[in-house]
Amino acid sequence: MDDDEIMVHEDETVSIWTCRYAPDVVFAPHEHRMGVQIAVYRGAEVEVLYRREPGKLRHGGNHLVRAGDVARLGPQAIHAITADGDAPSIAIHVYEGPLTRIKRALFDWTSGEKIEFSMENFHAMARRKQDMEEFRG
Ligand SMILES: [Fe+2]
């Protein structure tokens, strides 16, 4: 495994995870339906941002979160996720609610159609960074 997401705490109000991402793999666009604070402490994590439009998922830019930075995504955010550069990123993600107890969605990379969130689907939909438009230019 070159990725690693571990839940270290969850209650009614907060979910705390440590997340390690490899720079060659991009995990599929998804929602959280709650805010999340992303505190990176090794490498740099890339938030690949999207918005849904009728029949498609539109790329809204990449946001780099470097070691020592804390970024917040709001409850409506849709992101795919990877690491920047040559090394994995490692971060603490603090979700502002009980993440595993809510229904949320993955989104088809092209059509933006909702797909039920499961770790199995999340991993199955991952893409190679080298194959993605979002990382060209
Ligand atoms: Fe996420």
PDB file of all heavy atoms in Angstrom, residues 51-84:
ATOM      1  N   ARG A  51     -16.378  21.532  -9.370  1.00  0.00           N
ATOM      2  CA  ARG A  51     -17.778  21.855  -9.121  1.00  0.00           C
ATOM      3  C   ARG A  51     -18.636  21.106 -10.127  1.00  0.00           C
ATOM      4  O   ARG A  51     -18.211  20.832 -11.242  1.00  0.00           O
ATOM      5  CB  ARG A  51     -18.024  23.363  -9.129  1.00  0.00           C
ATOM      6  CG  ARG A  51     -17.648  24.064 -10.382  1.00  0.00           C
ATOM      7  CD  ARG A  51     -17.919  25.572 -10.260  1.00  0.00           C
ATOM      8  NE  ARG A  51     -17.557  26.196 -11.519  1.00  0.00           N
ATOM      9  CZ  ARG A  51     -16.326  26.604 -11.842  1.00  0.00           C
ATOM     10  NH1 ARG A  51     -15.337  26.494 -10.991  1.00  0.00           N
ATOM     11  NH2 ARG A  51     -16.074  27.139 -13.027  1.00  0.00           N
ATOM     12  N   ARG A  52     -19.845  20.782  -9.671  1.00  0.00           N
ATOM     13  CA  ARG A  52     -20.767  20.045 -10.532  1.00  0.00           C
ATOM     14  C   ARG A  52     -21.530  21.011 -11.396  1.00  0.00           C
ATOM     15  O   ARG A  52     -22.028  22.026 -10.916  1.00  0.00           O
ATOM     16  CB  ARG A  52     -21.768  19.262  -9.696  1.00  0.00           C
ATOM     17  CG  ARG A  52     -21.200  17.998  -9.124  1.00  0.00           C
ATOM     18  CD  ARG A  52     -22.239  17.321  -8.277  1.00  0.00           C
ATOM     19  NE  ARG A  52     -22.953  16.287  -9.031  1.00  0.00           N
ATOM     20  CZ  ARG A  52     -24.100  15.764  -8.639  1.00  0.00           C
ATOM     21  NH1 ARG A  52     -24.700  16.201  -7.556  1.00  0.00           N
ATOM     22  NH2 ARG A  52     -24.667  14.811  -9.337  1.00  0.00           N
ATOM     23  N   GLU A  53     -21.592  20.668 -12.685  1.00  0.00           N
ATOM     24  CA  GLU A  53     -22.429  21.412 -13.618  1.00  0.00           C
ATOM     25  C   GLU A  53     -23.290  20.372 -14.317  1.00  0.00           C
ATOM     26  O   GLU A  53     -22.946  19.191 -14.279  1.00  0.00           O
ATOM     27  CB  GLU A  53     -21.542  22.186 -14.610  1.00  0.00           C
ATOM     28  CG  GLU A  53     -20.816  23.324 -13.918  1.00  0.00           C
ATOM     29  CD  GLU A  53     -19.951  24.159 -14.851  1.00  0.00           C
ATOM     30  OE1 GLU A  53     -19.884  23.837 -16.050  1.00  0.00           O
ATOM     31  OE2 GLU A  53     -19.357  25.116 -14.346  1.00  0.00           O
ATOM     32  N   PRO A  54     -24.387  20.780 -14.962  1.00  0.00           N
ATOM     33  CA  PRO A  54     -25.255  19.758 -15.574  1.00  0.00           C
ATOM     34  C   PRO A  54     -24.447  18.849 -16.506  1.00  0.00           C
ATOM     35  O   PRO A  54     -23.800  19.326 -17.432  1.00  0.00           O
ATOM     36  CB  PRO A  54     -26.286  20.590 -16.338  1.00  0.00           C
ATOM     37  CG  PRO A  54     -26.330  21.889 -15.594  1.00  0.00           C
ATOM     38  CD  PRO A  54     -24.916  22.136 -15.115  1.00  0.00           C
ATOM     39  N   GLY A  55     -24.439  17.557 -16.203  1.00  0.00           N
ATOM     40  CA  GLY A  55     -23.794  16.563 -17.059  1.00  0.00           C
ATOM     41  C   GLY A  55     -22.285  16.525 -17.004  1.00  0.00           C
ATOM     42  O   GLY A  55     -21.662  15.756 -17.738  1.00  0.00           O
ATOM     43  N   LYS A  56     -21.680  17.368 -16.156  1.00  0.00           N
ATOM     44  CA  LYS A  56     -20.218  17.290 -16.089  1.00  0.00           C
ATOM     45  C   LYS A  56     -19.658  17.759 -14.745  1.00  0.00           C
ATOM     46  O   LYS A  56     -20.324  18.451 -13.966  1.00  0.00           O
ATOM     47  CB  LYS A  56     -19.577  18.055 -17.248  1.00  0.00           C
ATOM     48  CG  LYS A  56     -19.621  19.567 -17.103  1.00  0.00           C
ATOM     49  CD  LYS A  56     -18.796  20.223 -18.206  1.00  0.00           C
ATOM     50  CE  LYS A  56     -17.317  19.907 -18.041  1.00  0.00           C
ATOM     51  NZ  LYS A  56     -16.466  20.665 -18.985  1.00  0.00           N
ATOM     52  N   LEU A  57     -18.411  17.379 -14.552  1.00  0.00           N
ATOM     53  CA  LEU A  57     -17.661  17.816 -13.382  1.00  0.00           C
ATOM     54  C   LEU A  57     -16.584  18.762 -13.893  1.00  0.00           C
ATOM     55  O   LEU A  57     -15.784  18.386 -14.759  1.00  0.00           O
ATOM     56  CB  LEU A  57     -17.032  16.586 -12.718  1.00  0.00           C
ATOM     57  CG  LEU A  57     -16.574  16.737 -11.276  1.00  0.00           C
ATOM     58  CD1 LEU A  57     -17.753  17.041 -10.357  1.00  0.00           C
ATOM     59  CD2 LEU A  57     -15.874  15.469 -10.819  1.00  0.00           C
ATOM     60  N   ARG A  58     -16.618  20.013 -13.423  1.00  0.00           N
ATOM     61  CA  ARG A  58     -15.666  20.996 -13.938  1.00  0.00           C
ATOM     62  C   ARG A  58     -14.527  21.203 -12.940  1.00  0.00           C
ATOM     63  O   ARG A  58     -14.770  21.466 -11.758  1.00  0.00           O
ATOM     64  CB  ARG A  58     -16.365  22.329 -14.221  1.00  0.00           C
ATOM     65  CG  ARG A  58     -15.412  23.369 -14.833  1.00  0.00           C
ATOM     66  CD  ARG A  58     -16.114  24.675 -15.107  1.00  0.00           C
ATOM     67  NE  ARG A  58     -17.116  24.566 -16.169  1.00  0.00           N
ATOM     68  CZ  ARG A  58     -16.827  24.605 -17.476  1.00  0.00           C
ATOM     69  NH1 ARG A  58     -15.586  24.753 -17.890  1.00  0.00           N
ATOM     70  NH2 ARG A  58     -17.793  24.514 -18.361  1.00  0.00           N
ATOM     71  N   HIS A  59     -13.290  21.125 -13.458  1.00  0.00           N
ATOM     72  CA  HIS A  59     -12.118  21.359 -12.612  1.00  0.00           C
ATOM     73  C   HIS A  59     -12.069  22.825 -12.205  1.00  0.00           C
ATOM     74  O   HIS A  59     -12.192  23.706 -13.046  1.00  0.00           O
ATOM     75  CB  HIS A  59     -10.858  20.986 -13.410  1.00  0.00           C
ATOM     76  CG  HIS A  59      -9.580  21.132 -12.641  1.00  0.00           C
ATOM     77  ND1 HIS A  59      -8.429  21.623 -13.209  1.00  0.00           N
ATOM     78  CD2 HIS A  59      -9.287  20.854 -11.349  1.00  0.00           C
ATOM     79  CE1 HIS A  59      -7.464  21.624 -12.294  1.00  0.00           C
ATOM     80  NE2 HIS A  59      -7.960  21.162 -11.158  1.00  0.00           N
ATOM     81  N   GLY A  60     -11.887  23.063 -10.900  1.00  0.00           N
ATOM     82  CA  GLY A  60     -11.850  24.441 -10.406  1.00  0.00           C
ATOM     83  C   GLY A  60     -10.484  24.834  -9.876  1.00  0.00           C
ATOM     84  O   GLY A  60     -10.378  25.775  -9.092  1.00  0.00           O
ATOM     85  N   GLY A  61      -9.430  24.120 -10.293  1.00  0.00           N
ATOM     86  CA  GLY A  61      -8.074  24.471  -9.875  1.00  0.00           C
ATOM     87  C   GLY A  61      -7.537  23.542  -8.801  1.00  0.00           C
ATOM     88  O   GLY A  61      -8.287  22.795  -8.178  1.00  0.00           O
ATOM     89  N   ASN A  62      -6.212  23.617  -8.628  1.00  0.00           N
ATOM     90  CA  ASN A  62      -5.522  22.800  -7.627  1.00  0.00           C
ATOM     91  C   ASN A  62      -5.022  23.713  -6.516  1.00  0.00           C
ATOM     92  O   ASN A  62      -4.471  24.771  -6.781  1.00  0.00           O
ATOM     93  CB  ASN A  62      -4.332  22.074  -8.249  1.00  0.00           C
ATOM     94  CG  ASN A  62      -4.751  21.071  -9.302  1.00  0.00           C
ATOM     95  OD1 ASN A  62      -5.919  20.694  -9.375  1.00  0.00           O
ATOM     96  ND2 ASN A  62      -3.805  20.647 -10.112  1.00  0.00           N
ATOM     97  N   HIS A  63      -5.229  23.278  -5.287  1.00  0.00           N
ATOM     98  CA  HIS A  63      -4.779  24.070  -4.139  1.00  0.00           C
ATOM     99  C   HIS A  63      -3.752  23.251  -3.354  1.00  0.00           C
ATOM    100  O   HIS A  63      -4.045  22.164  -2.868  1.00  0.00           O
ATOM    101  CB  HIS A  63      -5.967  24.445  -3.264  1.00  0.00           C
ATOM    102  CG  HIS A  63      -5.573  25.265  -2.083  1.00  0.00           C
ATOM    103  ND1 HIS A  63      -5.055  26.538  -2.194  1.00  0.00           N
ATOM    104  CD2 HIS A  63      -5.589  24.983  -0.755  1.00  0.00           C
ATOM    105  CE1 HIS A  63      -4.781  27.009  -0.989  1.00  0.00           C
ATOM    106  NE2 HIS A  63      -5.089  26.078  -0.094  1.00  0.00           N
ATOM    107  N   LEU A  64      -2.545  23.796  -3.263  1.00  0.00           N
ATOM    108  CA  LEU A  64      -1.442  23.104  -2.603  1.00  0.00           C
ATOM    109  C   LEU A  64      -1.438  23.455  -1.120  1.00  0.00           C
ATOM    110  O   LEU A  64      -1.500  24.631  -0.759  1.00  0.00           O
ATOM    111  CB  LEU A  64      -0.150  23.591  -3.264  1.00  0.00           C
ATOM    112  CG  LEU A  64       1.102  22.748  -3.098  1.00  0.00           C
ATOM    113  CD1 LEU A  64       0.896  21.356  -3.681  1.00  0.00           C
ATOM    114  CD2 LEU A  64       2.254  23.448  -3.821  1.00  0.00           C
ATOM    115  N   VAL A  65      -1.359  22.437  -0.271  1.00  0.00           N
ATOM    116  CA  VAL A  65      -1.260  22.655   1.181  1.00  0.00           C
ATOM    117  C   VAL A  65       0.066  22.045   1.631  1.00  0.00           C
ATOM    118  O   VAL A  65       0.244  20.819   1.590  1.00  0.00           O
ATOM    119  CB  VAL A  65      -2.442  22.005   1.939  1.00  0.00           C
ATOM    120  CG1 VAL A  65      -2.432  22.447   3.399  1.00  0.00           C
ATOM    121  CG2 VAL A  65      -3.778  22.351   1.285  1.00  0.00           C
ATOM    122  N   ARG A  66       0.997  22.910   2.014  1.00  0.00           N
ATOM    123  CA  ARG A  66       2.355  22.463   2.346  1.00  0.00           C
ATOM    124  C   ARG A  66       2.492  22.172   3.832  1.00  0.00           C
ATOM    125  O   ARG A  66       1.695  22.649   4.649  1.00  0.00           O
ATOM    126  CB  ARG A  66       3.358  23.566   1.982  1.00  0.00           C
ATOM    127  CG  ARG A  66       3.434  23.855   0.504  1.00  0.00           C
ATOM    128  CD  ARG A  66       4.486  24.930   0.228  1.00  0.00           C
ATOM    129  NE  ARG A  66       4.610  25.211  -1.200  1.00  0.00           N
ATOM    130  CZ  ARG A  66       3.792  26.015  -1.877  1.00  0.00           C
ATOM    131  NH1 ARG A  66       2.791  26.637  -1.265  1.00  0.00           N
ATOM    132  NH2 ARG A  66       3.969  26.210  -3.176  1.00  0.00           N
ATOM    133  N   ALA A  67       3.542  21.422   4.183  1.00  0.00           N
ATOM    134  CA  ALA A  67       3.830  21.141   5.587  1.00  0.00           C
ATOM    135  C   ALA A  67       3.840  22.445   6.377  1.00  0.00           C
ATOM    136  O   ALA A  67       4.466  23.427   5.962  1.00  0.00           O
ATOM    137  CB  ALA A  67       5.170  20.429   5.716  1.00  0.00           C
ATOM    138  N   GLY A  68       3.106  22.473   7.468  1.00  0.00           N
ATOM    139  CA  GLY A  68       2.993  23.678   8.293  1.00  0.00           C
ATOM    140  C   GLY A  68       1.783  24.527   7.963  1.00  0.00           C
ATOM    141  O   GLY A  68       1.460  25.450   8.702  1.00  0.00           O
ATOM    142  N   ASP A  69       1.096  24.221   6.849  1.00  0.00           N
ATOM    143  CA  ASP A  69      -0.115  24.964   6.476  1.00  0.00           C
ATOM    144  C   ASP A  69      -1.371  24.212   6.931  1.00  0.00           C
ATOM    145  O   ASP A  69      -1.373  22.985   6.977  1.00  0.00           O
ATOM    146  CB  ASP A  69      -0.225  25.122   4.949  1.00  0.00           C
ATOM    147  CG  ASP A  69       0.811  26.060   4.375  1.00  0.00           C
ATOM    148  OD1 ASP A  69       1.427  26.826   5.143  1.00  0.00           O
ATOM    149  OD2 ASP A  69       1.011  26.010   3.139  1.00  0.00           O
ATOM    150  N   VAL A  70      -2.401  24.984   7.227  1.00  0.00           N
ATOM    151  CA  VAL A  70      -3.717  24.427   7.540  1.00  0.00           C
ATOM    152  C   VAL A  70      -4.713  25.043   6.567  1.00  0.00           C
ATOM    153  O   VAL A  70      -4.766  26.268   6.430  1.00  0.00           O
ATOM    154  CB  VAL A  70      -4.149  24.737   8.986  1.00  0.00           C
ATOM    155  CG1 VAL A  70      -5.508  24.101   9.283  1.00  0.00           C
ATOM    156  CG2 VAL A  70      -3.107  24.248   9.986  1.00  0.00           C
ATOM    157  N   ALA A  71      -5.450  24.202   5.851  1.00  0.00           N
ATOM    158  CA  ALA A  71      -6.461  24.693   4.912  1.00  0.00           C
ATOM    159  C   ALA A  71      -7.823  24.187   5.370  1.00  0.00           C
ATOM    160  O   ALA A  71      -7.926  23.123   5.979  1.00  0.00           O
ATOM    161  CB  ALA A  71      -6.166  24.168   3.509  1.00  0.00           C
ATOM    162  N   ARG A  72      -8.873  24.962   5.070  1.00  0.00           N
ATOM    163  CA  ARG A  72     -10.228  24.499   5.367  1.00  0.00           C
ATOM    164  C   ARG A  72     -11.024  24.389   4.082  1.00  0.00           C
ATOM    165  O   ARG A  72     -10.990  25.311   3.260  1.00  0.00           O
ATOM    166  CB  ARG A  72     -10.953  25.439   6.331  1.00  0.00           C
ATOM    167  CG  ARG A  72     -12.350  24.926   6.719  1.00  0.00           C
ATOM    168  CD  ARG A  72     -13.021  25.797   7.772  1.00  0.00           C
ATOM    169  NE  ARG A  72     -14.298  25.231   8.188  1.00  0.00           N
ATOM    170  CZ  ARG A  72     -15.467  25.410   7.551  1.00  0.00           C
ATOM    171  NH1 ARG A  72     -15.520  26.165   6.455  1.00  0.00           N
ATOM    172  NH2 ARG A  72     -16.574  24.839   7.994  1.00  0.00           N
ATOM    173  N   LEU A  73     -11.723  23.267   3.923  1.00  0.00           N
ATOM    174  CA  LEU A  73     -12.696  23.123   2.839  1.00  0.00           C
ATOM    175  C   LEU A  73     -14.076  23.192   3.473  1.00  0.00           C
ATOM    176  O   LEU A  73     -14.322  22.567   4.511  1.00  0.00           O
ATOM    177  CB  LEU A  73     -12.532  21.775   2.133  1.00  0.00           C
ATOM    178  CG  LEU A  73     -11.187  21.464   1.455  1.00  0.00           C
ATOM    179  CD1 LEU A  73     -11.246  20.081   0.805  1.00  0.00           C
ATOM    180  CD2 LEU A  73     -10.835  22.516   0.415  1.00  0.00           C
ATOM    181  N   GLY A  74     -14.978  23.917   2.842  1.00  0.00           N
ATOM    182  CA  GLY A  74     -16.336  24.058   3.359  1.00  0.00           C
ATOM    183  C   GLY A  74     -17.183  22.834   3.068  1.00  0.00           C
ATOM    184  O   GLY A  74     -16.774  21.934   2.322  1.00  0.00           O
ATOM    185  N   PRO A  75     -18.391  22.804   3.635  1.00  0.00           N
ATOM    186  CA  PRO A  75     -19.257  21.624   3.500  1.00  0.00           C
ATOM    187  C   PRO A  75     -19.711  21.320   2.074  1.00  0.00           C
ATOM    188  O   PRO A  75     -20.102  20.197   1.794  1.00  0.00           O
ATOM    189  CB  PRO A  75     -20.461  21.943   4.393  1.00  0.00           C
ATOM    190  CG  PRO A  75     -20.262  23.308   4.928  1.00  0.00           C
ATOM    191  CD  PRO A  75     -18.921  23.818   4.529  1.00  0.00           C
ATOM    192  N   GLN A  76     -19.651  22.306   1.182  1.00  0.00           N
ATOM    193  CA  GLN A  76     -20.075  22.061  -0.215  1.00  0.00           C
ATOM    194  C   GLN A  76     -18.915  21.630  -1.104  1.00  0.00           C
ATOM    195  O   GLN A  76     -19.123  21.337  -2.285  1.00  0.00           O
ATOM    196  CB  GLN A  76     -20.681  23.340  -0.816  1.00  0.00           C
ATOM    197  CG  GLN A  76     -21.763  23.999   0.010  1.00  0.00           C
ATOM    198  CD  GLN A  76     -22.915  23.059   0.307  1.00  0.00           C
ATOM    199  OE1 GLN A  76     -23.303  22.254  -0.541  1.00  0.00           O
ATOM    200  NE2 GLN A  76     -23.449  23.138   1.520  1.00  0.00           N
ATOM    201  N   ALA A  77     -17.693  21.629  -0.594  1.00  0.00           N
ATOM    202  CA  ALA A  77     -16.505  21.375  -1.434  1.00  0.00           C
ATOM    203  C   ALA A  77     -16.537  19.967  -2.023  1.00  0.00           C
ATOM    204  O   ALA A  77     -17.013  19.024  -1.390  1.00  0.00           O
ATOM    205  CB  ALA A  77     -15.239  21.569  -0.613  1.00  0.00           C
ATOM    206  N   ILE A  78     -16.020  19.875  -3.251  1.00  0.00           N
ATOM    207  CA  ILE A  78     -15.767  18.576  -3.887  1.00  0.00           C
ATOM    208  C   ILE A  78     -14.287  18.560  -4.250  1.00  0.00           C
ATOM    209  O   ILE A  78     -13.808  19.476  -4.928  1.00  0.00           O
ATOM    210  CB  ILE A  78     -16.609  18.391  -5.163  1.00  0.00           C
ATOM    211  CG1 ILE A  78     -18.102  18.387  -4.818  1.00  0.00           C
ATOM    212  CG2 ILE A  78     -16.219  17.112  -5.898  1.00  0.00           C
ATOM    213  CD1 ILE A  78     -19.018  18.372  -6.047  1.00  0.00           C
ATOM    214  N   HIS A  79     -13.569  17.561  -3.758  1.00  0.00           N
ATOM    215  CA  HIS A  79     -12.152  17.477  -4.120  1.00  0.00           C
ATOM    216  C   HIS A  79     -11.723  16.051  -4.422  1.00  0.00           C
ATOM    217  O   HIS A  79     -12.273  15.090  -3.905  1.00  0.00           O
ATOM    218  CB  HIS A  79     -11.250  18.109  -3.043  1.00  0.00           C
ATOM    219  CG  HIS A  79     -11.049  17.298  -1.800  1.00  0.00           C
ATOM    220  ND1 HIS A  79      -9.922  17.411  -1.005  1.00  0.00           N
ATOM    221  CD2 HIS A  79     -11.811  16.358  -1.202  1.00  0.00           C
ATOM    222  CE1 HIS A  79     -10.021  16.577   0.013  1.00  0.00           C
ATOM    223  NE2 HIS A  79     -11.143  15.934  -0.050  1.00  0.00           N
ATOM    224  N   ALA A  80     -10.706  15.966  -5.308  1.00  0.00           N
ATOM    225  CA  ALA A  80      -9.897  14.766  -5.458  1.00  0.00           C
ATOM    226  C   ALA A  80      -8.601  15.078  -4.716  1.00  0.00           C
ATOM    227  O   ALA A  80      -8.331  16.235  -4.379  1.00  0.00           O
ATOM    228  CB  ALA A  80      -9.643  14.475  -6.927  1.00  0.00           C
ATOM    229  N   ILE A  81      -7.798  14.065  -4.457  1.00  0.00           N
ATOM    230  CA  ILE A  81      -6.701  14.299  -3.533  1.00  0.00           C
ATOM    231  C   ILE A  81      -5.469  13.484  -3.896  1.00  0.00           C
ATOM    232  O   ILE A  81      -5.560  12.338  -4.317  1.00  0.00           O
ATOM    233  CB  ILE A  81      -7.212  14.045  -2.094  1.00  0.00           C
ATOM    234  CG1 ILE A  81      -6.303  14.646  -1.059  1.00  0.00           C
ATOM    235  CG2 ILE A  81      -7.452  12.575  -1.842  1.00  0.00           C
ATOM    236  CD1 ILE A  81      -7.009  14.841   0.267  1.00  0.00           C
ATOM    237  N   THR A  82      -4.287  14.125  -3.757  1.00  0.00           N
ATOM    238  CA  THR A  82      -3.008  13.480  -4.042  1.00  0.00           C
ATOM    239  C   THR A  82      -1.914  14.258  -3.306  1.00  0.00           C
ATOM    240  O   THR A  82      -2.207  15.174  -2.548  1.00  0.00           O
ATOM    241  CB  THR A  82      -2.755  13.451  -5.569  1.00  0.00           C
ATOM    242  OG1 THR A  82      -1.597  12.664  -5.840  1.00  0.00           O
ATOM    243  CG2 THR A  82      -2.566  14.842  -6.153  1.00  0.00           C
ATOM    244  N   ALA A  83      -0.673  13.839  -3.544  1.00  0.00           N
ATOM    245  CA  ALA A  83       0.467  14.580  -3.005  1.00  0.00           C
ATOM    246  C   ALA A  83       1.194  15.276  -4.144  1.00  0.00           C
ATOM    247  O   ALA A  83       1.150  14.820  -5.290  1.00  0.00           O
ATOM    248  CB  ALA A  83       1.416  13.641  -2.274  1.00  0.00           C
ATOM    249  N   ASP A  84       1.892  16.355  -3.817  1.00  0.00           N
ATOM    250  CA  ASP A  84       2.687  17.081  -4.798  1.00  0.00           C
ATOM    251  C   ASP A  84       4.131  16.585  -4.751  1.00  0.00           C
ATOM    252  O   ASP A  84       4.591  16.102  -3.718  1.00  0.00           O
ATOM    253  CB  ASP A  84       2.644  18.581  -4.461  1.00  0.00           C
ATOM    254  CG  ASP A  84       3.298  19.414  -5.544  1.00  0.00           C
ATOM    255  OD1 ASP A  84       2.917  19.243  -6.719  1.00  0.00           O
ATOM    256  OD2 ASP A  84       4.191  20.221  -5.217  1.00  0.00           O
TER     257      ASP A  84
END
